[in-house]
Structure formats: structure tokens, C-alpha cells
Amino acid sequence: MSRAHKYTAAIIGTGRIGFSLGLDRKREQPASHTMALLANRRIRVIAGCDKDATHLEDWHRYCSEVATYSSYGYLFAACNPDIVVIAVNEDAHLEATLAAIRSRPKLVILEKPVALNMKDGLRIADAAASFKVPVMVNHERRFALDYAAAKSYMAGIGGIQSMTAELDSGLRVYSRNDESTGAYSLLHDGTHLVDIVQFLLGDKLYNGATAKKSVIYDPVLTSICCDEKDPSVVRNVSVHFSSDKCPDVTIRISGRSNYFGFGVDICGTDGRIRIGNGYAEFYRREQSKLYTGFYSLAPDKRIKLPKKTRYFSNMVENAVDFLDGKAPLRSTLQDGLADLDVLERICALLQDEL
């Protein structure tokens, strides 16, 4: 191993997030686990695994000197990487992650969401504790510089009055028939939405009417819209929460949009933050240029954001710093389980309506 390299890594799942998104020229790169690991000089990728032969062949053409395996059973029998990345589909998270944990690596990097449901998520947590294997969950916005700036800026916008987080896509929000695969946006992308709200607020979400501090209670379903042709499929949903830091938290997910959108709008008593895919806007209170004796919000020109958010690079860097003993994990298994718990409670509300 090169002197620069200190840790070895294996990737289980060489599809989109595992590999091919790293070839998308429109995305900020690195945009996949493979590219992010290869870009870090402290890590040497020694193995790739995928049961899909086409995915594995494509990956091996890019990583021609790295060993490939059609099953993680073969991989763990042949090598013992320090870092194991789990980048398979949601319905394969449980078994692949348990196998990785049992191989006793120094760290597992688990693609979001943790699992299909809390039952599976807790099995992963139990195994991680039993084998003493730390698990990082790739909720990428926790590592992005623009969201870090938003979190820091929140201290300057006064009391947080409201937060609205919205996800728009063409994928169904929820369907009971898809629970076994996770192929619905509430789980697939909604995990990012719930996670970034909890990250920015720094506390757990609950229903303010019945909750106690630091305990997640059932959310309040404020609206639901089902598919016109199939009433068992949810296309739009809006849910309300409260938190210690904000009395009014709304999460909205659309599954009938002809575009993909992700964003958060935070209103404070003295400022505002709007941040999402491709934008980050910071506003502060100042004497109004429009009305005498009033204050208005104006763009805060002091905020200078870098051209790159480094969301994937910073995730891998945090993994290395953690293994070096220099820093804690910034996206833990417990964070991922807290998100999964909220999503499962929303699912329960939707199930009652269908």
C-alpha cells in the first residue's frame, strides 16, 4: 500500500449512487461513492461487488485494477476492508449491512435510508452494537458547505417562527404495495427532507399538542391527495410538526410534479433562509428602503458561499477523520434511525387514510 494510503475500502452496489452518478457532467463531482473514495488519497479501493453483471462490468472498466465480486459473501471471504460502503437498493440494506457488520470492518458507510422500516433498522443497530462496528449514514446534506452555512446563520435570524421543507418529483409519495421495495419518495428522498430539518433545528420533531421534550410523537396530517386512477397511491402529502426550536414545521411532498425540487424555507423574527438544490439565500433585518419607520428583509451580502458544496468529499473526509480519531461522525446511525422513525409515523397516518 502507498504511504499516502492508510485505509482500504470496498463498495457493495455499483449502480447509480455507488458509481454511475459520478459520470454525470452536470452534477457537482464527486457524486458517487466510488468517485469520492478514489479522490481521497488516504483510501485505496480494493473491491467492488454487485449482483448485476452489467453494473459490475461498467464499474470494473473504470476501476480495472480492483477485484470484483458477484456477491458480498465472496468479497468478505476474500478480503477484509477497513471501510465497507453499502450502496444497494433499500430492500437489500438489511442483509447486506448485517453481512458487512459481521465482517468487522473499522467503519460501515450506509447509504440512506437506514432500512425499509424501523424493525430492520433496529436489527442493524443491534448488530452494530454487538460487533462494535460504527456506522455512518450518507445523509449528504449534513456534509455540504451550503447547509453548514445555513445552520450557522440560523443563530442570527432571531427566534425561529416557521420552517417549510418541500420535495417535488414525479414519483408516488407512498403506496402500501411498495413497502417491500421502498420505491416511493417518502422513503427514498423524504429521508433527506426529514433529516435536513432535524439537522438544521438540532432537535427531534414532535406533535406539539401531546409531546414531551426530545421524544418524537405522531405528526399531524394536514392534507393528502391520492392518484385519480389508483386511490391506493398517495401523490401529495403535507404533515405538521413542532419542535423545541420551532413551533411550526411543515413537510410537504409532491409526487405529481414534472420536475425534481428540494428546498427548505426558514423564517425567523429577524431574518430568513431559503436553501435547496441549486440555491442558497440568506436575508437579514434592516431599515426598510420602502417604508419610513419600518424594517424589511434584505439579502445578506456578507455571506460568500464556495462554488462547490463538497457534500460527498466532506462525507469521505469525515470518515477518514473519524478513523484517525480526530472527529466524531457527523451523520450517525442514530440520526438515520431518528429520521426513519419520523417517516414510519407518517406512513402510519397515510395507511389510516387509505
Side-chain angles (χ1 to χ4, degrees):
M1 186 184 300
S2 165
R3 289 183 179 181
H5 295 139
K6 184 173 182 180
Y7 302 110
T8 57
I11 302 172
I12 300 175
T14 58
R16 283 170 52 80
I17 196 66
F19 169 61
S20 63
L21 293 182
L23 304 175
D24 186 343
R25 294 184 178 181
K26 289 186 176 181
R27 291 175 183 261
E28 178 189 319
Q29 294 296 336
S32 70
H33 289 282
T34 296
M35 303 329 191
L37 291 172
L38 291 175
N40 192 293
R41 66 183 184 86
R42 303 291 307 286
I43 296 173
R44 180 166 65 93
V45 178
I46 61 170
C49 172
D50 204 307
K51 65 180 182 180
D52 186 310
T54 300
H55 287 169
L56 197 58
E57 288 171 6
D58 291 341
W59 186 85
H60 197 222
R61 277 195 291 270
Y62 193 87
C63 304
S64 58
E65 297 181 0
V66 180
T68 58
Y69 301 91
S70 59
S71 79
Y72 45 77
Y74 293 148
L75 187 156
F76 293 129
C79 60
N80 185 30
D82 298 315
I83 301 169
V84 178
V85 173
I86 306 296
V88 297
N89 291 338
E90 289 89 344
D91 58 350
H93 273 206
L94 176 62
E95 295 305 324
T97 307
L98 291 179
I101 289 171
R102 290 166 185 152
S103 75
R104 297 181 185 271
K106 294 178 180 178
L107 178 67
V108 169
I109 298 177
L110 175 57
E111 187 54 40
K112 61 76 193 170
V114 171
L116 286 175
N117 51 58
M118 277 297 290
K119 180 181 178 182
D120 288 355
L122 291 174
R123 286 186 62 188
I124 290 173
D126 288 343
S130 177
F131 286 86
K132 295 182 172 56
V133 175
V135 178
M136 168 190 278
V137 180
N138 185 32
H139 280 113
E140 58 194 39
R141 288 169 180 82
R142 286 179 178 258
F143 305 97
L145 296 179
D146 51 351
Y147 281 94
K151 187 173 177 66
S152 296
Y153 196 77
M154 286 179 68
I157 66 173
I160 307 301
Q161 301 185 94
S162 68
M163 177 182 284
T164 301
E166 189 159 3
L167 168 67
D168 299 282
S169 76
L171 180 63
R172 55 198 167 275
V173 174
Y174 172 78
S175 169
R176 195 188 300 268
N177 293 333
D178 295 312
E179 285 186 350
S180 62
T181 65
Y184 55 96
S185 66
L186 177 61
L187 183 69
H188 187 71
D189 292 306
T191 182
H192 280 307
L193 205 63
V194 169
D195 185 73
I196 201 59
V197 168
Q198 299 203 107
F199 169 73
L200 291 172
L201 287 176
D203 58 4
K204 292 178 170 59
L205 300 175
Y206 60 81
N207 173 347
T210 59
K212 298 177 181 178
K213 290 183 179 180
S214 301
V215 178
I216 300 175
Y217 278 75
D218 290 336
V220 175
L221 183 64
T222 53
S223 70
I224 180 173
C225 181
C226 296
D227 191 278
E228 293 87 349
K229 296 181 179 180
D230 186 352
S232 70
V233 173
V234 177
R235 285 293 178 183
N236 290 79
V237 67
S238 179
V239 183
H240 183 266
F241 299 87
S242 294
S243 93
D244 287 343
K245 293 185 179 178
C246 180
D248 182 6
V249 181
T250 300
I251 291 178
R252 297 186 184 131
I253 304 180
S254 167
R256 61 173 75 246
S257 301
N258 295 319
Y259 61 92
F260 183 80
F262 184 105
V264 183
D265 190 344
I266 309 163
C267 291
T269 55
D270 296 303
R272 186 172 187 174
I273 302 167
R274 296 183 67 253
I275 185 169
N277 289 359
Y279 66 92
E281 302 167 1
F282 301 81
Y283 299 88
R284 62 174 177 167
R285 170 183 176 268
E286 63 179 36
Q287 288 190 340
S288 179
K289 297 178 181 179
L290 303 174
Y291 312 106
T292 301
F294 283 82
Y295 285 85
S296 298
L297 293 181
D300 193 338
K301 297 180 180 179
R302 300 171 301 174
I303 305 299
K304 303 295 182 183
L305 294 172
K307 292 183 179 180
K308 287 193 172 186
T309 70
R310 291 183 54 83
Y311 65 100
F312 236 122
S313 298
N314 283 345
M315 185 273 288
V316 172
E317 186 174 314
N318 179 229
V320 170
D321 287 343
F322 170 78
L323 292 175
D324 284 345
K326 296 179 179 179
L329 294 176
R330 287 156 55 185
S331 183
T332 67
L333 180 57
Q334 291 304 315
D335 293 325
L337 289 174
D339 300 327
L340 194 58
D341 188 31
V342 173
L343 295 171
E344 196 160 277
R345 291 172 185 272
I346 295 174
C347 283
L349 289 179
L350 298 179
Q351 290 165 0
D352 290 341
E353 294 291 323
L354 296 178

